[in-house]
C-alpha cells in the first residue's frame, strides 16, 4: 500500500457518498488508475439508470476503456469503496485489471443489506443446482458462430 493508494481509495469513498446522497444507487464508488492518473471513475447508478449492471466498478471500467480506447486495462488499479460483487470482479478480470484495492469488506456491505455472499455461493453451484433454471440445449448449427469466429484470421481476440 502507498500514499497514492489511500488517496485514490478515498476518492472512491467520496464518489460513493456523492452517488448515494443523490439517490442514484447504492453507496458505492470506484476509480480506475493507470500510471498514477485517474482514467475512469463513477458511482453506483442502478436506481437512476434502472440498470442492474450500473455498479460503480462497471461504470468506471466503461469510462476508463473509453478514455484509453481499448477494452483491456492492463497495469491499472481499480479502487472500490467496497469489495466488488461477483459481476464487478468478473468485469475486472475481463478488462485485465492488474490490481484491486477496496475499503469495505463484503461483510460490512452485507450488514446493511447487500449480500454478495449469496451470489458468490450461487456461482459455485453446478448449473443444474442454481436458483435460476439453466437448460443446456444444443442446436444442430449452434457451434457455427463459434467455429466461424475461431477460423477468422481478422478476429480480435479478447
Amino acid at each position: 500500500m502507498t500514499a497514492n493508494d489511500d488517496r485514490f481509495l478515498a476518492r472512491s469513498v467520496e464518489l460513493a457518498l456523492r452517488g448515494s446522497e443523490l439517490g442514484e444507487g447504492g453507496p458505492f464508488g470506484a476509480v480506475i488508475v493507470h500510471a498514477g492518473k485517474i482514467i475512469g471513475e463513477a458511482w453506483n447508478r442502478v436506481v437512476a439508470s434502472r440498470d442492474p449492471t450500473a455498479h460503480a466498478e462497471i461504470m468506471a471500467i466503461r469510462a476508463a476503456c473509453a478514455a484509453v480506447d481499448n477494452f483491456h486495462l492492463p497495469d491499472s488499479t481499480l479502487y472500490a469503496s467496497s469489495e466488488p460483487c461477483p459481476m464487478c470482479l468478473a468485469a475486472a478480470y475481463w478488462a485485465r485489471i492488474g490490481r484491486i484495492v477496496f475499503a469495505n469488506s463484503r461483510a460490512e456491505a452485507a450488514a446493511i443489506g447487500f449480500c454478495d455472499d449469496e451470489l458468490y455461493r450461487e456461482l459455485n453451484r453446478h448449473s443444474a443446482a442454481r436458483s435460476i433454471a439453466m437448460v443446456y440445449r444444443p442446436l444442430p448449427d449452434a457451434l457455427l458462430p463459434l467455429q466461424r469466429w475461431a477460423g477468422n484470421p481478422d478476429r480480435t481476440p479478447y
Side-chain angles (χ1 to χ4, degrees), residues 8-31:
F8 293 129
L9 196 55
R11 176 66 181 153
S12 75
V13 172
E14 288 172 18
L15 292 166
L17 281 168
R18 174 104 170 109
S20 61
E21 287 170 356
L22 291 171
E24 293 192 353
F28 307 105
V31 173

Side-chain angles (χ1 to χ4, degrees), residues 40-55:
E41 63 179 25
W43 55 71
N44 182 295
R45 297 200 73 248
V46 168
V47 173
S49 66
R50 293 169 181 78
D51 177 357
T53 69
H55 290 202

Side-chain angles (χ1 to χ4, degrees), residues 35 38 47 57 77 95 116 124 138:
I38 293 175
V47 173
E57 298 91 336
T77 299
D116 294 349
N124 282 321

Side-chain angles (χ1 to χ4, degrees), residues 111-131:
I112 62 164
F114 292 93
C115 294
D116 294 349
D117 279 340
E118 293 172 20
L119 286 173
Y120 278 104
R121 280 193 301 276
E122 185 76 10
L123 293 174
N124 282 321
R125 292 185 179 120
H126 184 276
S127 61
R130 292 186 179 143
S131 62

Side-chain angles (χ1 to χ4, degrees), residues 60-78:
I61 288 169
R62 290 174 182 163
C65 286
V68 299
D69 195 28
N70 198 328
F71 50 84
H72 286 157
L73 301 167
D75 304 317
S76 295
T77 299
L78 165 62

Side-chain angles (χ1 to χ4, degrees), residues 20 23 27 37 41 74 78 85 94 97 105 109 118 120 134 136 144:
S20 61
K37 179 182 174 208
E41 63 179 25
L78 165 62
C85 75
W94 282 117
I97 289 171
S105 70
E118 293 172 20
Y120 278 104
M134 296 185 70
Y136 174 60
L144 190 58

